[in-house]
Amino acid sequence: MAHAKWLSDLTHSELGFKIRHLMISNVTGSFRNFQVEVDTRGDDFSSAQIKLTARMDSVSTHNEQRDAHLRNADFFEVEKYPELEFVSTGITRKDVDTFDLRGNLTLKGITRPVQLRVEHNGTTKDPWGNERAGFFVTGKIERSQWGINFNSVLETGGIALGEEVKIQSELELVKQAVAVPA
């Protein structure tokens, strides 16, 4: 079976996260500059090899002061660690459109295994003849496992930031044309 390559369409994709703030609400953010590459056998995503890279300096929480703080040594240290990377190690089909995706996440020079839930929202052709596939990806990580420990204790005894980071991403992939030897 022929292999297919799929690339993320950033206009229709978001690499998002959510973290608890002051123990009462959540702050959401995303990385604006990232790329997902997926290699499949035909159009079968159950055997996909996936690689994601994101520029850490593209973090956005819609607050410039907070984003600048996230870029410094308290959090991402973007000058020393400019990218995060996820590389898949396996996929298990849960039902027709749902998969458990395992892989290694490298963040701040630390690589650790993670598991994500992937929902395949469908595949279609766009008005220009390109084949597209949509996915909703969720998961949770503990930020301290990647050396992100900044926090402060509140007057009430709680903490400013939660340990758990929720991943919530919408990805639209475009199948790439395959060169055929002459």
Side-chain angles (χ1 to χ4, degrees):
M1 182 176 286
H3 284 265
K5 183 173 188 168
W6 303 74
L7 297 178
S8 51
D9 172 357
L10 293 185
T11 304
H12 300 101
S13 297
E14 181 178 53
L15 182 59
F17 61 88
K18 184 185 297 193
I19 187 168
R20 203 85 162 132
H21 181 250
L22 300 178
M23 300 177 67
I24 61 169
S25 65
N26 291 297
V27 170
T28 60
S30 63
F31 294 94
R32 293 183 311 248
N33 186 354
F34 67 95
Q35 181 65 53
V36 179
E37 297 178 21
V38 178
D39 290 310
T40 60
R41 286 193 301 263
D43 294 337
D44 180 11
F45 288 99
S46 67
S47 63
Q49 297 293 312
I50 302 159
K51 181 178 180 184
L52 172 140
T53 55
R55 295 286 309 168
M56 298 305 290
D57 61 1
S58 74
V59 67
S60 174
T61 62
H62 306 291
N63 179 292
E64 280 303 317
Q65 184 178 356
R66 181 173 46 224
D67 295 347
H69 190 200
L70 288 173
R71 292 180 188 109
N72 78 22
D74 286 341
F75 291 95
F76 297 140
E77 294 184 80
V78 300
E79 289 189 25
K80 186 174 182 181
Y81 305 105
E83 291 186 335
L84 73 74
E85 181 180 81
F86 172 84
V87 178
S88 65
T89 58
I91 297 175
T92 303
R93 184 184 291 274
K94 301 309 278 182
D95 60 41
V96 173
D97 294 322
T98 307
F99 304 87
D100 284 338
L101 172 62
R102 296 172 308 285
N104 291 317
L105 175 63
T106 302
L107 177 60
K108 288 188 70 170
I110 300 169
T111 302
R112 300 188 58 85
V114 297
Q115 183 165 317
L116 304 169
R117 175 62 55 108
V118 178
E119 296 174 29
H120 180 209
N121 296 328
T123 305
T124 191
K125 286 216 182 221
D126 66 22
W128 305 275
N130 300 303
E131 193 168 349
R132 293 177 177 263
F135 298 91
F136 180 58
V137 181
T138 57
K140 298 175 186 178
I141 63 170
E142 293 180 8
R143 63 191 179 94
S144 63
Q145 293 185 336
W146 284 270
I148 302 172
N149 299 305
F150 178 84
N151 221 332
S152 58
V153 177
L154 302 175
E155 181 180 303
T156 57
I159 55 175
L161 296 173
E163 166 67 9
E164 181 180 272
V165 178
K166 295 178 183 177
I167 299 165
Q168 294 183 323
S169 298
E170 293 281 352
L171 302 174
E172 189 168 307
L173 305 177
V174 181
K175 190 176 189 179
Q176 303 301 293
V178 178
V180 178

